Amino acid sequence: MEQSFFPGDVLFVLLGAIMVLAMHAGFAFLELGTVRKKNQVNALVKILSDFAVSTLAYFFIGYGVAYGVHFFVGAGQLQTHHGFALVKFFFLLTFAAAIPAIVSGGIAERARFSPQLAATFIVVGFVYPFFEGLAWNGNFGLQAWLRATFGAPFHDFAGSVVVHAMGGWIGLAAVLLLGPRRGRYSRDGAIAAHPPSSIPFLALGAWILVVGWFGFNVMSAQQADGISGLVAVNSLMAMVGGTLAALAAGRNDPGFVHNGPLAGLVAVCAGSNVMHPLGALVVGVVAGFLFVHLFTLTQNRWKIDDVLGVWPLHGLCGAWGGIAAGIFGQPAFGGVGEVSLWSQLIGTGLGVAVGFGGGLVVYGGLKWMSGLRLTAEQEYEGADLTIHKISSTPEREAIW
C-alpha cells in the first residue's frame, strides 16, 4: 500500500464496520417480526450463521476475487498502516454478508438450512465479489471503458446496485426456484394471508437498519478526510421520502410504513454523494411508492411468494437507485456531476444480470443436487421445531 493511513482512518472505517454489522441484527428482527411464530427462531439463527459463513467465504476467496488482496502473510506485515487493510476488509465483509441476509427474507419459512448455508458460501465467495470487483475495483476494464465511452464510470457510492440490487435479484431467483409456501395460493385463485407475527419486532428491525445505514453510507468514504455531511443529509431525506410515500401508498399499513424508509435508503446509496438533498427526497419518494405497489403486485397478481419483499425492496429499489444517480447527480438537477446516465444504465443492467443469473446457477444447482425445500410435514410443523428443535415461545417450562 503506497498511501499512508492514520489511526483516525482505521477508527473511522472500524466504526463503519461495526454500524453495518449491527444492521444484521436489523435484518434478523425484520424477518423475525414478519414470519409466522413457528419460524422465528430460524430467522435469528439464519442471519447469524450466514454472517459466519460469509466471513470465511470472503476472507479466503471473495476478497481476493474482488480486489486481488489476500492475508496469507505474517501478522507484522498485516499491521502496516495500523492494520487499515484489515479494517477495510471487515467493513466490506459486512456489505458482502448483507447479500445472504437479504436473500434469507425472501426464502423464509420453507428453505432447508444446510443448502442455504452452502449457497451463502458460493454467493459471497464468487458471485458477489465478481461484480463488486467490476464496479469498485475496475476489474476487466469495465469502468475504464465506460469512462472513455460515456465520460464517466458507473457510479455506486454505497451499493444500491452492488449490494442491494444484487441481493434482491439473487433472492428473486431463489424464490422462484423454491416456489410459494404451501397453502399460500390455492388452485381456485384464493390467496391465504400470512400477517406479520410481531409488528414490534418488525419495527425494531427496521429501526436498527435505519440507524446502521448512516454508517453504511457515510463510512463508504473509507477515510476520515472523505466524510461528507451531504451523504448523511441525502440519506436522511431519502429515508423520510420513502417513509411518507409508503405511508400514503400503503394506507397506514405498519408493514409498509416500516419498510418505506428502507426502500428510500436502498435507492439513495448509489448517488448519496452526488445528489442535492431535494433530489434525494424525490429518489426516496419514488422508491417508497415503487416498493408498495410492486410488493402488492408480486404477491397478489403474479403470486411470487417473496416473504419480506426482498425483490421489490432491494432488487427494484436498488436498480432504481443506480439509475437515479445518473439523473439526480447531474448539475441540471442540482447534483455534483461527473456521472453518466448511460453508464448507470449499463452498470445497473449488468448488476441485475449477474445477480439473477448467478442466483439461478447457484440455487438451481443446489436444488438439483440436494433439494432446497423442507418437506410438507416439516413446513407445517415450522422451521423452528424441524431444524432447531425448539420454538420461540415454548408452551411449557421445566420446573426443575
Side-chain angles (χ1 to χ4, degrees), residues 97-164:
I99 301 293
I102 290 168
V103 175
S104 175
I107 63 176
E109 299 200 310
R110 74 273 201 203
R112 292 176 58 209
F113 191 54
S114 296
Q116 182 181 343
L117 292 181
T120 292
F121 190 90
I122 298 169
V123 165
V124 177
F126 300 97
V127 179
Y128 167 75
F130 170 75
F131 185 70
E132 179 188 18
L134 290 177
W136 285 346
N137 198 48
N139 292 355
F140 301 106
L142 173 67
Q143 293 287 40
W145 176 78
L146 290 173
R147 182 186 293 277
T149 306
F150 303 109
F154 172 61
H155 184 89
D156 191 355
F157 180 69
S160 285
V161 178
V162 175
V163 177
H164 296 287

Side-chain angles (χ1 to χ4, degrees), residues 165-179:
M166 281 282 291
W169 284 89
I170 290 172
L172 176 62
V175 166
L176 292 175
L177 287 165
L178 266 175

